[in-house]
Amino acid sequence: MIDQITFKFGSSISEPRLQVDLTPVTIFVGPNNSGKSRCLVELESYCRQTHGQENDCIINRLEFTPFSQDEIEAELLKLEQLPNTGELINLGHVLIGKLNPQNNQAFRTQVHKENLIKEAQDPNKRLGYYATFLGLYTLRLDGTNRLGLLGEQDAGDLQATPKNHLSQLFIDNEIREEVRKIVFEAFSKYFVIDPTHMGKLRVRLSERPPKSEIEEKGWGTESIVFHKSAVDIKDLSDGVKAFTGIITTILAGDPKIIILDEPEAFLHPALAAKLGNAISRSLRNTKKRLLVSTHSSSFLMGCIQAGIPLNIIRLTYDQATPTARLLDREKILHLMRQPLLRSTGVLSGLFYGSVVVTESDADRAFYQEINERLLAQGDPRGIGSCLFLNAQNKQTVWDIVKPLRELGIPAIGVVDIDVIKDAGQVWTKPLEGAFIPALSHNSLHIQRQALLAEFQKTKKDMKRDGGVSILGRSEKEAALNLFSHLMEYGVFVVNGGELESWLKHLGASGHGPSWLIDIFERMGENPEEQNYLLPSNGDVWDFIGLIKSWIENPHRKGIPL
């Protein structure tokens, strides 16, 4: 099977091409239009053909692990078919039959045994017989072929190669029982195959399991009554159809290379997690490979919780520059396990181009609304593919920013001006969280102390009385210089003091949630109405623009390699 992937690019322009040794599960994450689906198409092309395509733009090379002679012979033994009356078998050839998981049809052909074994020793050439052989074990499912997997199908000749995956499941009690177990865990209903429409097979979900094999597979009265009381899957939701269809196709078709594009489509988060877990567990103790693109943190968590080795690769396409980065599994587990990070949905940051982290939910909602209005107007200051998250306070902002940056995700923190009140380790936390060089910490601490002293001399509240505007001219310049330096590392301090310092001309009152309600009312809800606030120059609009400039800067500071 596939042993190694080499991409055409690395984690940045200056880094070498990413080369990944494959584990049973490889998950591609990243923002929209980052090349995840294209990557899967190229992977399929490599598996089904003797080489990649000239216009491939993501995959540079695949390395395949050779099958041993014993493995090939064992597989042929499972697939070998008896010839039909009058059917001639060429000298040295073996007649094989297998359900092709991709088109859900029986495949029957002759292969030259010695040549197949010889070709399997150099699988990267994927010559004649071996290319055909490997193609039989490759499955790619996407949004276009997912919902039609469980329609009524012909039973066919049950003594021949199964005609489709339902006939395969009907014949194979062991696999059908495994599907039944997984489906029951997901829906508390029992997967059964109904043969009572003569010559046809239908999938139903039953309130109880069949009492016997005869009750499920027979044509007698007890079978008719049993299946009539169960629900035909065509009458169930798209989520049930998608989940069950993917599971049945994978288990019945027995693909060794499984390529899935956004398998979470039609599934609510809990079901997506169960699907990721079930598919991953099905690969345990096999040489199979699952290669999947997802936008679902739930599906990702399900795969991780299955406890088998996996790779997580983040693809991006930012400013016409593609990147590929292998993420640290232990760092992902930290995002999953730490209660603060889990509760804020930080794992979702893997699927966005950037993340903005604020002190509170009111801050998050306000900055997100400002950004959405910029985007709606086509304003270049708007940040596309950006996730806004809130921490609990200005200290926990960096508990979110730091692990995201360690994964190569441009994450910035927005904090009120009173961040400079904190001394010692508390002040060091944002510096470390933003990966500001340690040698700079002492000088920044000295600047912070001097600036704090100047604020205290004013006898005013730095947050509520105007921020840097309450300082004298030279002191204000020093403050702006300090904040500008922090901004270079993605630490954005509100110069006006706090959230409520923005859009002062609207006259909103209150603090926190009450201010948010008032400011949103004054900003208006309907873009067609006269009181709807549109972006303008200055104020918070430019602040978001500065955040975007840092995110899009290819030489931004504070992102560890």
Side-chain angles (χ1 to χ4, degrees):
M1 288 300 100
I2 306 174
D3 184 51
Q4 188 180 80
I5 300 178
T6 302
F7 294 84
K8 289 184 177 289
F9 38 80
S11 59
S12 69
I13 297 176
S14 59
E15 292 299 303
R17 290 171 169 170
L18 177 65
Q19 192 174 83
V20 178
D21 293 327
L22 288 195
T23 50
V25 178
T26 298
I27 302 174
F28 297 96
V29 300
N32 288 328
N33 301 315
S34 59
K36 299 186 298 299
S37 295
R38 175 66 188 178
C39 179
L40 298 187
V41 170
E42 292 183 12
L43 285 168
E44 181 186 23
S45 174
Y46 264 94
C47 293
R48 295 191 185 281
Q49 303 179 34
T50 57
H51 53 75
Q53 300 297 306
E54 291 183 2
N55 61 348
D56 283 352
C57 54
I58 295 177
I59 303 299
N60 183 64
R61 181 171 173 78
L62 292 187
E63 292 288 337
F64 288 80
T65 303
F67 275 105
S68 69
Q69 179 172 338
D70 288 344
E71 288 173 324
I72 290 289
E73 289 182 343
E75 202 65 37
L76 289 177
L77 191 61
K78 290 193 296 184
L79 302 182
E80 189 169 0
Q81 304 286 302
L82 294 174
N84 295 325
T85 302
E87 186 176 10
L88 297 177
I89 305 299
N90 295 321
L91 185 64
H93 285 65
V94 177
L95 178 65
I96 63 171
K98 183 185 182 301
L99 173 64
N100 186 336
Q102 187 61 43
N103 59 19
N104 195 29
Q105 294 179 5
F107 181 85
R108 183 180 168 93
T109 191
Q110 295 184 34
V111 296
H112 191 283
K113 184 175 180 179
E114 287 187 10
N115 286 346
L116 175 60
I117 292 172
K118 185 185 301 182
E119 290 170 7
Q121 303 315 300
D122 191 4
N124 294 301
K125 290 184 178 179
R126 298 193 300 291
L127 302 171
Y129 291 111
Y130 190 74
T132 300
F133 185 76
L134 189 60
L136 282 176
Y137 290 95
T138 300
L139 168 68
R140 183 169 77 91
L141 292 176
D142 56 26
T144 62
N145 59 10
R146 191 172 304 148
L147 291 180
L149 298 172
L150 291 179
E152 185 177 76
Q153 298 174 18
D154 291 334
D157 183 352
L158 299 182
Q159 296 185 33
T161 302
K163 193 171 184 179
N164 50 62
H165 69 275
L166 290 191
S167 60
Q168 174 71 58
L169 286 172
F170 190 74
I171 295 167
D172 196 317
N173 293 341
E174 184 177 344
I175 297 177
R176 191 172 69 261
E177 194 59 42
E178 179 63 20
V179 171
R180 183 172 295 149
K181 176 184 175 182
I182 293 171
V183 172
F184 181 79
E185 289 174 354
F187 306 111
S188 298
K189 299 286 190 297
Y190 295 92
F191 174 95
V192 293
I193 296 182
D194 173 13
T196 59
H197 184 185
M198 304 290 283
K200 302 287 186 179
L201 298 174
R202 293 175 288 197
V203 171
R204 293 183 182 272
L205 296 191
S206 171
E207 292 293 333
R208 67 170 178 83
K211 295 176 182 178
S212 64
E213 184 178 342
I214 292 176
E215 185 178 45
E216 179 181 10
K217 299 172 70 173
W219 289 343
T221 301
E222 67 171 333
S223 297
I224 294 172
V225 171
F226 172 70
H227 287 297
K228 194 170 184 179
S229 67
V231 181
D232 194 319
I233 200 162
K234 69 180 177 60
D235 297 323
L236 295 171
S237 70
D238 286 347
V240 175
K241 293 174 189 172
F243 181 98
T244 310
I246 291 172
I247 291 297
T248 55
T249 302
I250 289 175
L251 293 185
D254 191 32
K256 298 187 184 299
I257 299 173
I258 306 161
I259 301 172
L260 299 181
D261 194 3
E262 297 187 23
E264 70 276 6
F266 311 110
L267 306 181
H268 60 71
L271 198 53
K274 289 180 179 179
L275 180 64
N277 189 274
I279 297 174
S280 298
R281 282 190 288 113
S282 74
L283 306 183
R284 187 176 283 125
N285 301 322
T286 74
K287 290 188 176 182
K288 296 180 179 181
R289 295 285 187 256
L290 170 65
L291 302 137
V292 56
S293 160
T294 183
H295 283 96
S296 169
S297 58
S298 298
F299 181 87
L300 174 60
M301 289 176 67
C303 293
I304 293 173
Q305 289 168 343
I308 69 171
L310 83 166
N311 290 318
I312 303 171
I313 299 171
R314 177 173 157 89
L315 300 178
T316 66
Y317 189 73
D318 186 23
Q319 302 297 297
T321 301
T323 68
R325 179 188 292 261
L326 179 64
L327 304 186
D328 189 312
R329 182 174 180 271
E330 290 305 311
K331 289 183 171 66
I332 299 291
L333 287 172
H334 174 65
L335 298 186
M336 290 173 50
R337 292 168 176 167
Q338 215 277 344
L340 169 67
L341 302 180
R342 190 170 62 247
S343 66
T344 55
V346 69
L347 199 61
S348 297
L350 296 175
F351 309 101
Y352 287 82
S354 59
V355 178
V356 172
V357 186
T358 66
E359 294 186 20
S360 72
D361 190 55
D363 298 68
R364 178 205 58 76
F366 177 72
Y367 290 119
Q368 182 172 312
E369 176 64 21
I370 293 298
N371 187 57
E372 288 177 359
R373 295 195 183 206
L374 288 166
L375 292 172
Q377 295 299 312
D379 192 300
R381 292 170 292 183
I383 312 168
S385 187
C386 181
L387 175 66
F388 287 78
L389 297 175
N390 64 276
Q392 303 303 315
N393 52 56
K394 61 180 176 290
Q395 291 306 319
T396 52
V397 165
W398 313 107
D399 293 330
I400 297 174
V401 168
K402 185 176 182 180
L404 286 173
R405 289 197 186 183
E406 287 176 332
L407 295 172
I409 300 169
I412 69 101
V414 177
V415 291
D416 293 342
I417 201 168
D418 63 347
V419 68
I420 68 167
K421 288 183 177 180
D422 300 319
Q425 286 300 113
V426 179
W427 166 251
T428 304
K429 192 170 186 179
L431 307 185
E432 293 178 342
F435 293 92
I436 296 175
L439 289 177
S440 302
H441 290 188
N442 190 51
S443 63
L444 291 172
H445 176 61
I446 293 172
Q447 292 180 62
R448 181 202 65 79
Q449 282 183 311
L451 183 58
L452 179 59
E454 293 303 321
F455 272 114
Q456 291 170 338
K457 288 177 184 178
T458 67
K459 307 295 185 182
K460 295 181 179 180
D461 187 321
M462 68 173 73
K463 282 184 67 173
R464 304 199 175 187
D465 293 336
V468 298
S469 66
I470 67 176
L471 296 172
R473 181 176 173 181
S474 62
E475 292 79 14
K476 178 179 178 180
E477 182 179 348
L480 293 177
N481 286 340
L482 172 59
F483 297 155
S484 177
H485 183 71
L486 294 175
M487 195 185 303
E488 291 179 10
Y489 288 88
V491 179
F492 284 77
V493 180
V494 180
N495 293 343
E498 60 181 349
L499 176 69
E500 293 80 4
S501 66
W502 299 117
L503 303 179
K504 280 285 192 181
H505 66 283
L506 294 182
S509 60
H511 185 75
S514 63
W515 177 87
L516 184 70
I517 294 171
D518 194 11
I519 195 70
F520 278 173
E521 288 180 355
R522 294 169 186 268
M523 289 170 65
E525 299 178 356
N526 187 347
E528 303 300 321
E529 294 181 355
Q530 190 172 0
N531 72 331
Y532 185 80
L533 184 69
L534 293 172
S536 60
N537 293 327
D539 212 280
V540 69
W541 313 103
D542 280 358
F543 186 69
I544 295 295
L546 289 172
I547 293 174
K548 181 181 182 180
S549 295
W550 183 84
I551 290 170
E552 292 192 345
N553 182 357
H555 305 294
R556 58 180 171 256
K557 299 177 181 179
I559 300 290
L561 293 177

